[in-house]
Amino acid sequence: MNLCAWRTSKLVMTMALALVATTACNSKRNSSGGGGSDPTPGSGTGAGPAATGPILIGHFASMSGAEATFGQSTDNGVRLAMEERNAAIDAGKLKGRKIEVKTLDDQGKTQEAGTAVNRLINEDHVVAILGEVASGLSLAGGAVAQHYSVPMISPSSTNPQVTQVGDMIFRVCFLDEFQGKVMAKFAKDELKATKVAILFDQSQPYSQGLADFFEKPFTEAGGTIVTRQAYNSSNPDVSAQLSSVKEAAPDLVVLPGYYTQAANIARQARKLDITVPFLGGDGWDSSKLEEIGGDAVQGSYYSNHYSPEEQSPVVQEFVKKYQAKYNQLPDGLAALGYDAANLLFQAIDKSPSLSGKDLAATIAASKDFVGVTGAITIDPNRDASKSAVVVQVDHGKRTPIKRYPADLK
Ligand code: PHE
């Protein structure tokens, strides 16, 4: 990670912690627990979760904003898992308490992510948190969850720093160091690229990190980065950066950003007669990609956690159930949301109590969990090691091109 990326995530963390400090003072969380008004970190959730009735879980997600499909798809996956669990209890097939999920919209904004997690913990007294998708938002929300010792599982945040926030923060997806390596290998060996231009979003720790994690293995393998251009997602005009890209005459353009920006950039690039292929990361995974990017994104590649086209029975059964309920194909976010929720439910059932400490220890011990996105074992860094698949965008379809094992060298 370069210095600049490090500074960005430091800033995100500082903002989130400032939020903890200001909102903690106003919090009513101990009012029924007999404690003082100043909450102690690590003391659980104040008044605490209810001991009977449904177990409440919080989900913070971008249900609106520029990354709205991230939150919506994840929430669909989480709710499908919840309904299946509760139906199994009704049918007498499963023992335990039902689960209720409360979702708060963070609009894809850092400040809102911290506020949402704070509310879920201090007003709703959730026992655990699911979220976020975007790494920057998981860093912000994670700082709050860690402060109150409430376990949090990110379904899909891939930046390494997310779980380094503390021992309450987990993820069920691969990391960007691996994803960058996958993209570099694909660029070099499959696309035969030697001269690459990178355009990354400097306002997102994910995008900045993935740009670095692509660059290192690609140059080590003999490739050249002919230009590296930064943009900021608040400014959609990237004509200056694209002029530099054109001048550098790359044979591949790597766009490690989120779908709205990536699709916009692809459109602008094609208008400037930049005709070489585009390669993205998991941040491209949205049905909106083609709605926004049109022809400009057709034929492009991106690395991802899963493809609904894969023929394994676990994937196909999930696709069938999801389609029956939502009348659309599940993207990677939906699959990861479903897996994260199921892994959490399993931990809730196994945990000796619902205290943050016990629940975190039980999540940490998860091993060989059979997920739609592959087997999940939580490692000592609270991360998961998974394979990745590079897909090609093809008129609504995501054709799997090549799968890369978790232990890729
Ligand atoms: N990995 C992205 C991040 O960390 C989020 C993402 C995951 C987006 C999967 C799309 C699909 O910010």
mmCIF file of all heavy atoms in Angstrom, residues 70 133-135 156-159 206 258 282-283 285 304-305 333 336, ligand 1:
data_model
loop_
_atom_site.group_PDB
_atom_site.id
_atom_site.type_symbol
_atom_site.label_atom_id
_atom_site.label_comp_id
_atom_site.label_asym_id
_atom_site.label_seq_id
_atom_site.Cartn_x
_atom_site.Cartn_y
_atom_site.Cartn_z
ATOM 1 N N PHE A 70 -25.155 -2.275 -4.999
ATOM 2 C CA PHE A 70 -24.359 -3.032 -4.021
ATOM 3 C C PHE A 70 -25.221 -3.363 -2.790
ATOM 4 O O PHE A 70 -25.304 -4.505 -2.351
ATOM 5 C CB PHE A 70 -23.138 -2.233 -3.550
ATOM 6 C CG PHE A 70 -22.028 -2.095 -4.559
ATOM 7 C CD1 PHE A 70 -20.934 -1.277 -4.295
ATOM 8 C CD2 PHE A 70 -22.055 -2.792 -5.757
ATOM 9 C CE1 PHE A 70 -19.892 -1.156 -5.212
ATOM 10 C CE2 PHE A 70 -21.015 -2.665 -6.685
ATOM 11 C CZ PHE A 70 -19.937 -1.837 -6.403
ATOM 12 N N VAL A 133 -20.349 -3.200 1.801
ATOM 13 C CA VAL A 133 -19.729 -3.674 0.576
ATOM 14 C C VAL A 133 -18.438 -2.879 0.324
ATOM 15 O O VAL A 133 -17.344 -3.425 0.284
ATOM 16 C CB VAL A 133 -20.706 -3.536 -0.615
ATOM 17 C CG1 VAL A 133 -20.002 -3.821 -1.921
ATOM 18 C CG2 VAL A 133 -21.901 -4.454 -0.421
ATOM 19 N N ALA A 134 -18.578 -1.571 0.187
ATOM 20 C CA ALA A 134 -17.427 -0.710 -0.113
ATOM 21 C C ALA A 134 -16.460 -0.687 1.067
ATOM 22 O O ALA A 134 -16.859 -0.451 2.208
ATOM 23 C CB ALA A 134 -17.907 0.699 -0.430
ATOM 24 N N SER A 135 -15.187 -0.908 0.783
ATOM 25 C CA SER A 135 -14.201 -1.001 1.862
ATOM 26 C C SER A 135 -14.151 0.264 2.718
ATOM 27 O O SER A 135 -14.035 0.191 3.945
ATOM 28 C CB SER A 135 -12.816 -1.274 1.277
ATOM 29 O OG SER A 135 -12.750 -2.589 0.784
ATOM 30 N N SER A 156 -18.241 -8.430 1.503
ATOM 31 C CA SER A 156 -17.552 -8.216 0.224
ATOM 32 C C SER A 156 -16.481 -7.138 0.196
ATOM 33 O O SER A 156 -16.000 -6.798 -0.875
ATOM 34 C CB SER A 156 -18.619 -7.905 -0.832
ATOM 35 O OG SER A 156 -19.595 -7.045 -0.296
ATOM 36 N N SER A 157 -16.107 -6.583 1.362
ATOM 37 C CA SER A 157 -15.037 -5.572 1.354
ATOM 38 C C SER A 157 -13.693 -6.262 1.241
ATOM 39 O O SER A 157 -13.336 -7.093 2.071
ATOM 40 C CB SER A 157 -15.072 -4.740 2.635
ATOM 41 O OG SER A 157 -16.161 -3.853 2.602
ATOM 42 N N THR A 158 -12.912 -5.893 0.228
ATOM 43 C CA THR A 158 -11.697 -6.638 -0.087
ATOM 44 C C THR A 158 -10.402 -5.935 0.313
ATOM 45 O O THR A 158 -9.334 -6.522 0.208
ATOM 46 C CB THR A 158 -11.676 -6.934 -1.605
ATOM 47 O OG1 THR A 158 -12.026 -5.733 -2.305
ATOM 48 C CG2 THR A 158 -12.645 -8.033 -1.975
ATOM 49 N N ASN A 159 -10.487 -4.655 0.743
ATOM 50 C CA ASN A 159 -9.247 -3.960 1.134
ATOM 51 C C ASN A 159 -8.679 -4.578 2.410
ATOM 52 O O ASN A 159 -9.407 -4.805 3.373
ATOM 53 C CB ASN A 159 -9.531 -2.466 1.336
ATOM 54 C CG ASN A 159 -8.254 -1.688 1.611
ATOM 55 O OD1 ASN A 159 -7.751 -1.681 2.726
ATOM 56 N ND2 ASN A 159 -7.715 -1.070 0.594
ATOM 57 N N TYR A 206 -10.541 1.270 -1.562
ATOM 58 C CA TYR A 206 -10.601 0.056 -2.395
ATOM 59 C C TYR A 206 -9.890 0.268 -3.728
ATOM 60 O O TYR A 206 -9.019 -0.504 -4.127
ATOM 61 C CB TYR A 206 -12.075 -0.324 -2.630
ATOM 62 C CG TYR A 206 -12.317 -1.189 -3.842
ATOM 63 C CD1 TYR A 206 -11.983 -2.537 -3.855
ATOM 64 C CD2 TYR A 206 -12.897 -0.653 -5.004
ATOM 65 C CE1 TYR A 206 -12.205 -3.328 -4.977
ATOM 66 C CE2 TYR A 206 -13.126 -1.433 -6.125
ATOM 67 C CZ TYR A 206 -12.779 -2.767 -6.114
ATOM 68 O OH TYR A 206 -13.003 -3.546 -7.222
ATOM 69 N N TYR A 258 -15.669 1.628 -8.929
ATOM 70 C CA TYR A 258 -17.029 1.101 -8.834
ATOM 71 C C TYR A 258 -17.776 1.330 -10.151
ATOM 72 O O TYR A 258 -17.401 2.173 -10.954
ATOM 73 C CB TYR A 258 -17.767 1.736 -7.659
ATOM 74 C CG TYR A 258 -17.147 1.387 -6.318
ATOM 75 C CD1 TYR A 258 -16.988 2.357 -5.334
ATOM 76 C CD2 TYR A 258 -16.718 0.094 -6.037
ATOM 77 C CE1 TYR A 258 -16.426 2.039 -4.093
ATOM 78 C CE2 TYR A 258 -16.155 -0.235 -4.820
ATOM 79 C CZ TYR A 258 -16.008 0.748 -3.842
ATOM 80 O OH TYR A 258 -15.451 0.429 -2.636
ATOM 81 N N ASP A 282 -13.835 -6.433 -8.845
ATOM 82 C CA ASP A 282 -15.191 -6.795 -8.412
ATOM 83 C C ASP A 282 -16.141 -5.600 -8.315
ATOM 84 O O ASP A 282 -17.354 -5.762 -8.404
ATOM 85 C CB ASP A 282 -15.151 -7.585 -7.089
ATOM 86 C CG ASP A 282 -14.461 -6.839 -5.949
ATOM 87 O OD1 ASP A 282 -13.825 -5.796 -6.206
ATOM 88 O OD2 ASP A 282 -14.550 -7.312 -4.795
ATOM 89 N N GLY A 283 -15.577 -4.391 -8.195
ATOM 90 C CA GLY A 283 -16.396 -3.180 -8.110
ATOM 91 C C GLY A 283 -17.257 -2.933 -9.343
ATOM 92 O O GLY A 283 -18.156 -2.091 -9.338
ATOM 93 N N ASP A 285 -19.230 -5.176 -10.534
ATOM 94 C CA ASP A 285 -20.298 -6.182 -10.545
ATOM 95 C C ASP A 285 -21.671 -5.587 -10.262
ATOM 96 O O ASP A 285 -22.111 -5.522 -9.115
ATOM 97 C CB ASP A 285 -19.970 -7.269 -9.517
ATOM 98 C CG ASP A 285 -20.825 -8.513 -9.730
ATOM 99 O OD1 ASP A 285 -21.244 -8.735 -10.888
ATOM 100 O OD2 ASP A 285 -21.080 -9.237 -8.762
ATOM 101 N N ASN A 304 -14.075 -11.403 -10.296
ATOM 102 C CA ASN A 304 -15.236 -11.420 -9.407
ATOM 103 C C ASN A 304 -15.210 -12.634 -8.476
ATOM 104 O O ASN A 304 -14.368 -13.517 -8.591
ATOM 105 C CB ASN A 304 -16.525 -11.401 -10.237
ATOM 106 C CG ASN A 304 -17.696 -10.819 -9.464
ATOM 107 O OD1 ASN A 304 -17.547 -10.356 -8.336
ATOM 108 N ND2 ASN A 304 -18.871 -10.860 -10.054
ATOM 109 N N HIS A 305 -16.183 -12.636 -7.557
ATOM 110 C CA HIS A 305 -16.249 -13.667 -6.532
ATOM 111 C C HIS A 305 -16.999 -14.900 -7.024
ATOM 112 O O HIS A 305 -16.866 -15.976 -6.469
ATOM 113 C CB HIS A 305 -16.958 -13.113 -5.288
ATOM 114 C CG HIS A 305 -16.295 -11.870 -4.767
ATOM 115 N ND1 HIS A 305 -15.401 -11.893 -3.732
ATOM 116 C CD2 HIS A 305 -16.360 -10.577 -5.155
ATOM 117 C CE1 HIS A 305 -14.956 -10.663 -3.493
ATOM 118 N NE2 HIS A 305 -15.535 -9.846 -4.346
ATOM 119 N N LEU A 333 -22.663 -9.740 -5.234
ATOM 120 C CA LEU A 333 -23.030 -9.150 -3.952
ATOM 121 C C LEU A 333 -24.139 -9.941 -3.280
ATOM 122 O O LEU A 333 -24.113 -10.172 -2.069
ATOM 123 C CB LEU A 333 -23.530 -7.715 -4.135
ATOM 124 C CG LEU A 333 -22.562 -6.602 -4.504
ATOM 125 C CD1 LEU A 333 -21.325 -6.656 -3.683
ATOM 126 C CD2 LEU A 333 -22.261 -6.562 -5.946
ATOM 127 N N LEU A 336 -22.655 -13.157 -1.955
ATOM 128 C CA LEU A 336 -21.837 -12.943 -0.757
ATOM 129 C C LEU A 336 -22.692 -12.530 0.440
ATOM 130 O O LEU A 336 -22.405 -12.910 1.581
ATOM 131 C CB LEU A 336 -20.763 -11.878 -1.033
ATOM 132 C CG LEU A 336 -19.586 -12.355 -1.896
ATOM 133 C CD1 LEU A 336 -18.765 -11.173 -2.395
ATOM 134 C CD2 LEU A 336 -18.687 -13.317 -1.110
HETATM 135 N N1 PHE B 1 -14.595 -5.254 -3.026
HETATM 136 C C1 PHE B 1 -15.228 -3.949 -3.102
HETATM 137 C C2 PHE B 1 -14.655 -3.068 -1.985
HETATM 138 O O1 PHE B 1 -13.970 -3.535 -1.144
HETATM 139 C C3 PHE B 1 -16.704 -4.044 -3.003
HETATM 140 C C4 PHE B 1 -17.388 -4.972 -3.968
HETATM 141 C C5 PHE B 1 -17.402 -6.341 -3.772
HETATM 142 C C6 PHE B 1 -18.046 -4.479 -5.077
HETATM 143 C C7 PHE B 1 -18.024 -7.216 -4.659
HETATM 144 C C8 PHE B 1 -18.679 -5.334 -5.966
HETATM 145 C C9 PHE B 1 -18.644 -6.699 -5.776
HETATM 146 O O2 PHE B 1 -14.894 -1.892 -1.905
#
